Amino acid sequence: MNVMQKMQENLKAEIKQAVLAAELASEAEIPMVILEQPKEKAHGDYATNIAMQLAKVAKKAPRQIAEDIVAQLDKSKASIKSVDIAGPGFINFFMDNQYLSNLIPTILEQDEAYGASNTGKAEKVQVEFVSANPTGDLHLGHARGASVGDALCNILDKAGYEVQREYYINDAGNQINNLALSVQARYMQALGKDFPMPEDGYHGADIIGIGETLVKEHGEALLEKTEEEQQSFFREYGLKIELDKLAKDLAQFRVTFDNWFSETSLYEEHKIVPAIELLKEKGYIYEQDGATWFRTTDFGDDKDRVLIKQDGSYTYLSPDIAYHKNKLDRGFDKLINIWGADHHGYIPRMHAAIQALGYDADTLGVEIIQMVNLFENGERVKMSKRTGKAVTLRELMEEVGIDAMRYFFVMRSADSHLDFDMDLAKSQSNDNPVYYVQYAHARICTMLKQADEKGIDYTDYNASILQSEKAEDLLKKLGEFTQVVADAAENRTPHRITQYIFDLAANLHSFYNAEKVINEDDLDATKARLALMQAVRITLANGMKLIGVQAPTSM
RNA sequence: GUCCCAGUAGCUCAGUAGGAUAGAGCAACAGCCUUCUAAGCUGUGGGUCGCAGGUUCGAAUCCUGCCUGGGACACCA
């Protein structure tokens, strides 16, 4: 618990004590004390609506209740400077902000660890994300999924969860056969032969490249293999190339995984039959029309789902159930899947599967990433998977840069559509929020460097000198960071972090324009401000790290 | 037709598990560089929170109906 949280807990305890002392309610009747931070500064640092909540129990007017509570408060004990009663019965607290100066030593000492908490209680969480089919390049939607997933993992980790990042490789279904056929066609075409692409083939340029590489490496030799051998060869070869490329692109995008899980392994290790058998034992399986059905309607799904088709093959749901059973068997307390919007219809049946396997529905949380629309020159760039003309992750990294992408993709809440403005992302101007935040960090670095060059050592700073309004705003903002990270983790809202660092950067710029940090005529104040700057720098850097954005020392 | 997500300033979006006069950024307008980076700061204007009911001390937030946009509704993956 950091300084800020400790102070809030003190305040809550003191309010509760006052309610009891005023005999307004019994211990059991007191609702949870909620402190909020008012938007208006005039409403204090914190406010509580407890008087309104108690109106029914105490059978008194809220304002009267508020006065009774205030009369019983021990101000000094809870570091309260003054108290107001306002509006319908809000109690506004103005805090003695002396405590804020304790923040700086805390932040400087914790450094890269600042913002960490044990909110997650070391719960084991697995996050599965991206999981794009290894049949082509990653595109815009995957990039958003990767950004959000990675940021969420970082945030969960910071908030005290034990996180594993996993990529599920869809290497077993039809799409891989199509990949093999597509590679074959491109190989034949590279040999100059007239060979048709399969109907559902992958038309991406990358596959053409694979065909050309194969010709370089093998010439016509592959033609001597049997058709079956060729299929198997093209399949393995294509898969390996595609996977290597995915991993490489993602790594460049600063996204890595702890585990790459192969769907095929579920077949090879015979995991699917036992999973279905388990559901059968529990009575959720029935046969009809020659197919095997899973009664997902028992768990609120619209209709039951087929697991084994008439022809004896599995639907996609079967390996998916086996996969999730496998995840749960690995001992995770919580599973999080990050899916594209086009998969949201799958959520009810996966929740059904989780429950049928004997777990609470909320053991699995599914985050839906809404679509990304790309805009360039004010116009929407149309994308088509068919023609392979979709904008790829790699192209975008080259064109707009990784920092801007990472920032933009988590900037909005994941479940709302995102308009990605290429021109804005590319622009090196104050319109671009990434630069705004990075610039704040770079500015501080410059100041710290200059102080260093002037031989100013601020290790013996006295933070309590920092009394200006701007300095206090900065300190308050700094103090919120740990709680913001914890909230972002619990609500799975990485965009909170971008909002936070943007606000913190704004406070920094505002401070910078109001006060000159280095003033050799007033060394005490200079030292205190330098320590403050270092604390802001650390917090900004930690925040940026959570969303995968670099913190430049100069710009 | 059924289900999911969204609808908040001219544009792009926040809105902290029901709270006070609904907030940012961009765009518009007016100012600030002999001083640590102007990629910055300060100020002004801008709203029927899609529409209509309901719940209560109090609703952008919860409930019902409707309108609009997007997505999903396979024994595809």
Side-chain angles (χ1 to χ4, degrees):
Chain A
M1 206 185 289
N2 71 15
V3 190
M4 205 88 169
Q5 289 168 314
K6 203 175 286 173
M7 195 205 49
Q8 290 177 18
E9 289 310 314
N10 279 347
L11 181 55
K12 285 184 193 175
E14 184 56 29
I15 293 166
K16 194 170 172 184
Q17 177 281 124
V19 172
L20 288 172
E23 296 180 351
L24 290 163
S26 67
E27 177 94 40
E29 288 168 330
I30 301 182
M32 200 166 69
V33 179
I34 295 168
L35 286 181
E36 60 175 71
Q37 295 177 33
K39 297 161 212 154
E40 292 268 336
K41 262 187 195 173
H43 296 148
D45 299 307
Y46 297 103
T48 180
N49 60 351
I50 189 106
M52 276 111 88
Q53 291 186 311
L54 282 170
K56 271 179 199 156
V57 184
K59 298 199 177 80
K60 280 188 186 178
R63 285 196 70 109
Q64 180 60 46
I65 296 172
E67 279 177 35
D68 294 348
I69 294 173
V70 170
Q72 296 293 337
L73 283 173
D74 183 342
K75 288 191 197 166
S76 64
K77 206 169 146 192
S79 334
I80 301 167
K81 194 161 70 189
S82 66
V83 186
D84 269 355
I85 296 167
F90 288 101
I91 306 175
N92 297 334
F93 298 94
F94 294 82
M95 307 308 289
D96 178 358
N97 288 325
Q98 223 22 61
Y99 79 93
L100 281 173
S101 54
N102 294 334
L103 260 178
I104 296 181
T106 306
I107 296 171
L108 298 194
E109 193 196 315
Q110 292 188 359
D111 201 353
E112 288 183 10
Y114 181 60
S117 65
N118 59 1
T119 310
K121 304 188 178 78
E123 225 175 72
K124 288 184 71 181
V125 181
Q126 192 226 40
V127 183
E128 182 219 317
F129 61 111
V130 187
S131 299
N133 290 346
T135 53
D137 285 316
L138 293 165
H139 56 69
L140 222 47
H142 299 128
R144 187 178 189 190
S147 303
V148 170
D150 185 58
L152 184 57
C153 288
N154 292 338
I155 292 163
L156 287 167
D157 183 58
K158 192 100 182 163
Y161 293 85
E162 220 173 273
V163 185
Q164 195 210 38
R165 300 144 194 261
E166 184 153 303
Y167 190 114
Y168 182 58
I169 309 165
N170 293 279
D171 55 2
N174 251 329
Q175 72 276 19
I176 295 301
N177 293 332
N178 277 329
L179 174 68
L181 291 169
S182 302
V183 171
Q184 179 182 38
R186 293 306 191 194
Y187 169 65
M188 299 301 270
Q189 288 167 6
L191 284 173
K193 298 183 194 299
D194 186 20
F195 200 93
M197 282 292 280
E199 202 168 319
D200 299 318
Y202 297 102
H203 295 258
D206 51 322
I207 312 279
I208 297 175
I210 293 178
E212 286 164 357
T213 308
L214 279 172
V215 170
K216 258 180 235 155
E217 289 179 0
H218 299 274
E220 295 199 359
L222 297 176
L223 298 176
E224 287 157 25
K225 293 174 184 276
T226 66
E227 181 65 21
E228 205 171 299
E229 285 170 343
Q230 281 190 36
Q231 276 307 302
S232 156
F233 178 85
F234 288 130
R235 181 192 172 97
E236 294 305 315
Y237 191 89
L239 191 60
K240 185 178 183 316
I241 299 278
E242 290 293 327
L243 274 177
D244 285 351
K245 190 188 62 192
L246 286 178
K248 200 175 139 230
D249 285 354
L250 285 166
Q252 193 190 338
F253 197 50
R254 302 173 195 146
V255 176
T256 56
F257 292 86
D258 301 310
N259 195 30
W260 293 72
F261 191 97
S262 156
E263 181 185 0
T264 301
S265 74
L266 291 168
Y267 290 87
E268 288 170 352
E269 292 167 26
H270 310 292
K271 301 280 193 186
I272 297 175
V273 173
I276 295 175
E277 282 302 317
L278 181 60
L279 297 185
K280 194 179 278 176
E281 279 167 33
K282 298 194 175 196
Y284 299 118
I285 301 292
Y286 63 94
E287 305 282 331
Q288 189 182 304
D289 303 331
T292 300
W293 295 71
F294 173 24
R295 201 182 300 105
T296 53
T297 49
D298 281 2
F299 304 99
D301 195 9
D302 297 341
K303 51 187 167 191
D304 294 339
R305 307 293 171 176
V306 170
L307 292 182
I308 304 174
K309 297 183 242 177
Q310 280 180 345
D311 66 5
S313 63
Y314 295 121
T315 62
Y316 189 67
L317 186 57
S318 292
D320 242 5
I321 292 172
Y323 176 43
H324 282 79
K325 179 178 182 299
N326 173 280
K327 289 190 194 181
L328 292 163
D329 290 345
R330 280 186 265 161
F332 294 108
D333 299 308
K334 180 109 197 169
L335 306 178
I336 297 174
N337 291 350
I338 294 181
W339 286 352
D342 54 341
H343 283 76
H344 90 251
Y346 251 78
I347 298 175
R349 71 192 78 167
M350 278 320 300
H351 273 142
I354 296 293
Q355 290 173 83
L357 290 169
Y359 296 85
D360 285 343
D362 66 2
T363 305
L364 171 69
V366 180
E367 292 300 308
I368 290 299
I369 306 291
Q370 286 292 346
M371 289 183 43
V372 179
N373 294 319
L374 192 63
F375 284 81
E376 192 166 24
N377 303 321
E379 278 180 35
R380 180 158 166 201
V381 181
K382 292 271 183 192
M383 278 172 293
S384 155
K385 224 174 187 175
R386 277 281 168 66
T387 59
K389 277 175 79 179
V391 177
T392 66
L393 170 66
R394 206 173 326 121
E395 288 166 351
L396 221 52
M397 284 195 283
E398 282 161 18
E399 200 166 343
V400 309
I402 297 165
D403 287 334
M405 289 175 73
R406 293 291 306 254
Y407 191 97
F408 274 59
F409 282 135
V410 293
M411 183 165 59
R412 307 297 181 210
S413 73
D415 61 2
S416 63
H417 299 214
L418 177 75
D419 288 339
F420 189 94
D421 184 339
M422 292 267 280
D423 305 310
L424 179 60
K426 276 194 286 188
S427 78
Q428 304 200 355
S429 76
N430 53 350
D431 302 355
N432 191 334
V434 190
Y435 285 93
Y436 184 83
V437 173
Q438 291 184 318
Y439 184 47
H441 185 269
R443 262 188 160 168
I444 296 172
C445 290
T446 303
M447 289 186 278
L448 293 173
K449 192 174 157 213
Q450 292 196 1
D452 189 48
E453 282 165 1
K454 289 182 201 284
I456 302 171
D457 175 6
Y458 61 88
T459 46
D460 59 339
Y461 66 93
N462 174 10
S464 61
I465 305 175
L466 297 166
Q467 294 288 349
S468 71
E469 194 188 340
K470 298 285 186 195
E472 265 191 20
D473 288 348
L474 258 182
L475 283 165
K476 282 181 196 168
K477 202 76 202 170
L478 288 174
E480 291 171 21
F481 186 55
T482 307
Q483 193 60 48
V484 167
V485 175
D487 285 349
E490 285 188 283
N491 301 319
R492 293 182 228 140
T493 48
H495 71 280
R496 284 280 173 72
I497 303 298
T498 55
Q499 274 177 249
Y500 175 81
I501 57 177
F502 187 87
D503 289 347
L504 180 56
N507 279 329
L508 182 277
H509 288 310
S510 183
F511 174 84
Y512 179 92
N513 275 274
E515 299 185 29
K516 190 150 162 51
V517 170
I518 299 169
N519 176 0
E520 288 175 281
D521 295 332
D522 187 351
L523 225 47
D524 285 345
T526 297
K527 287 176 181 177
R529 285 190 294 250
L530 283 170
L532 173 62
M533 289 300 100
Q534 177 68 316
V536 174
R537 190 201 64 73
I538 287 168
T539 308
L540 278 174
N542 291 359
M544 284 189 266
K545 195 174 176 193
L546 289 177
I547 56 169
V549 173
Q550 287 179 337
T553 55
S554 69
M555 286 172 75

